[in-house]
Amino acid sequence: LRRRLLGLGLRPWQPQGSYLSLISTGNKYCVAAKGTWGWEGAWLWTVKDWIDRTWMDKYGAGLPEMPEPAQEPPPVAAAAGPEALACLAAAPMRCGGCGAKV
């Protein structure tokens, strides 16, 4: 994009021929593939976790801390009464989190 905006010619793009895929199975275990090779094991999960955290750290550096937003209970839960509100407050995160595939 930069070259195009500067009025320069574009360079041909050459995609990677081989890349490492690391897929977590959700239990601190991981499967990996690169080309025709494949591996599996708990040690690969440690490698994947390190790669993911290192990559994410690049995007969090220097950002200010954000205050927790005040959360109003959903109207349906509020209408159901204090018992429903207590259940919601005690429940762990109900989704799998961003990026969850299951």
Side-chain angles (χ1 to χ4, degrees):
L1 292 174
R2 181 180 299 135
R3 290 183 64 84
R4 181 63 141 189
L5 291 172
L6 293 173
L8 301 172
L10 300 178
R11 294 182 191 151
W13 180 68
Q14 199 67 26
Q16 274 183 293
S18 179
Y19 51 89
L20 176 63
S21 296
L22 293 167
I23 302 168
S24 173
T25 61
N27 54 356
K28 294 192 176 184
Y29 199 81
C30 190
V31 294
K34 181 170 173 66
T36 59
W37 292 85
W39 305 273
E40 63 176 295
W43 69 273
L44 281 167
W45 184 87
T46 304
V47 172
K48 177 181 174 24
D49 187 57
W50 179 82
I51 291 170
D52 290 349
R53 288 178 186 278
T54 302
W55 188 80
M56 289 300 293
D57 285 346
K58 290 192 261 183
Y59 297 96
L63 294 177
E65 289 294 322
M66 295 177 58
E68 287 291 322
Q71 295 196 0
E72 296 294 320
V76 173
E83 189 175 316
L85 293 174
C87 286
L88 279 176
M93 185 169 72
R94 290 178 294 283
C95 71
C98 294
K101 306 291 188 283
V102 290

